[in-house]
Amino acid sequence: MTKKSPKRLPGRPKLGDEDISIQQTIIQTASKLFMEYGYETVTLQQIGQACSVSKPTIYYHFTSKPELFKVAFTTMLHNVSQLTSQMLDQAENLESGLVRLAEARLGNPHAEIETMLRKAEPFLDYAQIQDIRNAEHQIHEVLAAHFQRAIDENRLRTEDPFFLAETFSTLMLMGNREDNLHKYGSNFSLAQKLVELFIRGAQ
């Protein structure tokens, strides 16, 4: 007697490779539009038009605009976390890794992200906001792990590594002031200055 295949439970069908590709395209497109225009002014119809999919297709992958924003935002933060880890792991030493990381961050000012999130928060539920904050926290965890290693090796003074991670991230907000870029000539020069200041204070 031939065994019957188990029936799929009611609900959305399993995503195939093409569906996943469409989903990733929606996420990438939404991220760019949200970053450029902010949450409130961007519509699902605009996102659909920009990535050549229908509005029902977006709803097939995401239950709502706030959910799409949350997924787009957390995906972006996860990418930053991975990039942070790669840059610090591949660097010859902590200081040179921080300079590379600072240069990259100064090119994409974090304050703009904070501003966008703050304006979007009234439209998000508590769980969505927490998911975003947890993704942001992962970036600090990566930094804190490297700072803890430096502390254990007596290259930095004994300090809460998460405090150092948050302090370093706060220094990156200097990149939002255009006069700083003009004053130091480039993101690299400003990154060197900020990291030097940070390392001196943490030693």
Side-chain angles (χ1 to χ4, degrees), residues 10 38 41 88 93-94 111 148 175:
T41 57
L88 294 179
N93 53 57
L94 178 63
Q148 183 62 62

Side-chain angles (χ1 to χ4, degrees), residues 176-190:
N176 293 283
R177 295 179 54 181
E178 290 186 12
D179 57 328
N180 279 327
L181 183 57
H182 293 309
K183 183 177 179 181
Y184 294 100
S186 68
N187 285 331
F188 179 73
S189 297
L190 180 55

Side-chain angles (χ1 to χ4, degrees), residues 11 17 21 29 32 45 47 53 58 63 67 84 91 100 108 137 139 144 151 158 167 172 177 184-185 189 195:
D17 290 341
S21 177
T29 304
K32 291 177 182 176
Q45 185 174 357
I47 295 170
V53 302
I58 295 178
T63 56
E67 185 63 18
T84 299
R100 283 190 62 204
N108 296 280
H137 185 70
I139 300 171
I151 291 169
T158 301
T167 301
M172 296 305 99
R177 295 179 54 181
Y184 294 100
S189 297
V195 171

